[in-house]
Amino acid sequence: MANQKKPTGISASIRITSSGVHREVAEFPQSKNEIERLMAEAFCAGKPTLNPQIAHYGNLTNLTSQPENSLDFRITTAYGDKWLELAEFAPLALFHGRYENVPIEWDISEIRDLFLSLIKEKGNKGYGEGVILLIYKTHNSLYVPPPILRCVTKELADHPPPFEAIYFISAHSVEHSMTRQIWPEDLKNQGPTFHSGTAIIGIEQ
C-alpha cells in the first residue's frame, strides 16, 4: 500500500537569480515510501550552523528503512542509533480529503491545535525510547510558521511528549530544505509567539 501513488499538495518557493525572480514548484516522488525517504534524507543532510538536528545529534548517517508496520527508519547519531518516525501534517479530513481545499488563511489556534493533535496521535502508539518524530508537509498552506511552532513547544512543556525529539521539515529536495526543532526547546530559536488571531500561510496558487 505504501508504494501506491500518493497525492501531494503544491509546495512552491520563490528563487531570485541573476535572470530574475522565479516560482519553483517541488516535484515530489509518487509514493508515500519515496516521499518519506526524501524527507528523511533531507533531515540527515546539512550543517550544524544551519540545521538544529545536526547541532543536536551530530552527523546523521546510515539511514536505513525498517520493515512495514514498524518505525520508518534507523539512523546513526553521535549518541548511538536512533529511530526516525515520519508523519505528514495534512489534516485533509477537514477539507473533503483534498489539498486544493486547504485555505491559505488560518485561525492560529486551530492550526496549532491540529499540529498538537498529530503529535499526540503519534505518541499514543507507544513507540518506546530513542524515537525522533519528524513531521513534514507537502503543501504550501500547511506550513506552520515559527511563531506558531514556538507556541506548540510551550504547550509540550506542560505535557511532555513520549519522543526524544520532534522536528518539522519543509523540503523541496534533499539539497533544499528547512528544519525547525520543536522538542526539546531550541534555546537558539527565540522569537515571537502567535497564540491567537489569523495568519496567511503559503502563496496563492
Side-chain angles (χ1 to χ4, degrees):
M1 292 293 292
N3 286 319
Q4 291 184 347
K5 185 175 181 180
K6 178 189 179 301
T8 59
I10 297 176
S11 186
S13 63
I14 303 299
R15 190 176 296 271
I16 301 174
T17 68
S18 58
S19 60
V21 179
H22 309 275
R23 181 175 183 267
E24 296 184 356
V25 179
E27 294 185 6
F28 292 113
Q30 295 295 302
S31 73
K32 181 175 183 288
N33 276 351
E34 292 172 320
I35 293 169
E36 291 191 343
R37 182 82 192 189
L38 171 90
M39 298 296 172
E41 289 179 351
F43 178 75
C44 290
K47 299 178 180 180
T49 54
L50 298 175
N51 302 87
Q53 72 275 23
I54 306 297
H56 189 75
Y57 283 104
N59 290 333
L60 304 175
T61 60
N62 299 326
L63 179 69
T64 306
S65 300
Q66 298 303 290
E68 192 71 22
N69 299 319
S70 66
L71 291 156
D72 292 318
F73 298 95
R74 187 178 71 245
I75 55 174
T76 299
T77 77
Y79 305 100
D81 285 355
K82 303 292 180 182
W83 303 102
L84 189 61
E85 177 68 6
L86 278 80
E88 183 180 4
F89 180 57
L92 298 184
L94 299 176
F95 308 106
H96 305 288
R98 302 178 69 88
Y99 287 97
E100 55 264 38
N101 293 336
V102 178
I104 65 169
E105 183 173 330
W106 279 91
D107 179 271
I108 289 172
S109 61
E110 181 183 17
I111 196 169
R112 179 201 65 212
D113 290 347
L114 287 169
F115 202 88
L116 283 164
S117 294
L118 176 59
I119 294 172
K120 183 177 180 180
E121 177 187 341
K122 298 297 288 188
N124 286 342
K125 296 182 181 294
Y127 292 119
E129 296 182 357
V131 179
I132 301 167
L133 177 63
L134 178 62
I135 301 173
Y136 66 94
K137 62 89 179 171
T138 64
H139 191 59
N140 276 335
S141 55
L142 290 169
Y143 173 74
V144 184
I148 301 177
L149 291 177
R150 293 187 192 106
C151 289
V152 171
T153 299
K154 300 300 183 185
E155 292 282 342
L156 293 177
D158 294 330
H159 306 281
F163 295 104
E164 182 170 304
I166 303 173
Y167 294 88
F168 179 54
I169 190 169
S170 175
H172 284 199
S173 66
V174 173
E175 297 79 16
H176 298 99
S177 68
M178 179 176 292
T179 303
R180 302 283 182 179
Q181 183 170 311
I182 300 170
W183 181 261
E185 182 177 10
D186 183 0
L187 297 179
K188 295 180 180 179
N189 179 30
Q190 302 299 308
T193 56
F194 295 163
H195 295 274
S196 61
T198 59
I200 303 298
I201 299 174
I203 54 179
E204 295 280 8
Q205 306 304 328

